[in-house]
Amino acid sequence: MAENQSAVELAESAPLSANDIGRVTEEDIQEALHDVVDPELGIDVVDLGLVYGIELDELGRAIITMTLTTPACPLTDLIEDECANALAGLVEEFRIDWTWKPRWSVENINEDGRAQLEALGYNLNSLQASFAAGMYGSEVAEGASMGAGIPPTA
């Protein structure tokens, strides 16, 4: 009986309208982004902590705020293409707002990502030092901006 009560309480706390049925959520977008793998590290962008935010605008377009392990990452286009593939069928349009602040660090990696990296043989202490030393990526101009998908909303 307690299980039925908790299910009823849950349904009452988050009622759905007819407009919500079948509508994609930020959680759906995040789940799809687990299929986008950073090619240098072999871990998905969510577990690496590269995704800083996900929003859906009033037209159902996804706006994803994310970063890369370094601003000079040469794989930006590849990651944008992988995002497009992962989001196909969920949203008709999306945009990635690249940001470099706060700067990505090993501290952003979630528990699953840490376990995956350790299983691949990475030492998380030396990984941060490798990025700081510029072993991954190349230089990019300060303040450079990159985008994909839909243009910024006003």
Side-chain angles (χ1 to χ4, degrees):
M1 197 74 151
E3 289 179 36
N4 290 339
Q5 278 184 317
S6 64
V8 169
E9 290 171 1
L10 178 62
E12 288 174 353
S13 68
L16 292 176
S17 73
N19 292 335
D20 291 331
I21 297 173
R23 181 175 281 185
V24 69
T25 65
E26 287 89 353
E27 291 81 16
D28 296 330
I29 301 294
Q30 181 172 337
E31 186 63 33
L33 291 176
H34 278 287
D35 292 338
V36 179
V37 175
D38 180 290
E40 289 181 315
L41 296 173
I43 307 298
D44 73 75
V45 296
V46 174
D47 288 344
L48 278 176
L50 299 177
V51 178
Y52 287 172
I54 300 169
E55 296 177 48
L56 290 167
D57 70 10
E58 65 281 352
L59 300 175
R61 300 178 295 191
I63 297 110
I64 303 160
T65 303
M66 67 186 294
T67 194
L68 296 169
T69 53
T70 67
C73 179
L75 302 169
T76 304
D77 291 340
L78 178 64
I79 291 175
E80 288 175 354
D81 290 345
E82 290 298 316
C83 286
N85 290 335
L87 298 175
L90 279 179
V91 293
E92 290 188 33
E93 295 183 70
F94 77 97
R95 180 183 78 229
I96 298 175
D97 288 343
W98 295 107
T99 186
W100 313 115
K101 294 181 183 176
R103 186 178 183 136
W104 179 86
S105 78
V106 170
E107 301 304 314
N108 295 39
I109 303 171
N110 70 21
E111 190 175 316
D112 289 340
R114 289 175 181 277
Q116 292 171 57
L117 285 169
E118 288 171 358
L120 291 171
Y122 284 98
N123 176 328
L124 294 177
N125 294 326
S126 65
L127 185 64
Q128 183 66 46
S130 296
F131 281 101
M135 292 178 68
Y136 296 97
S138 58
E139 291 300 314
V140 104
E142 180 70 29
S145 174
M146 297 179 232
I150 59 175
T153 54

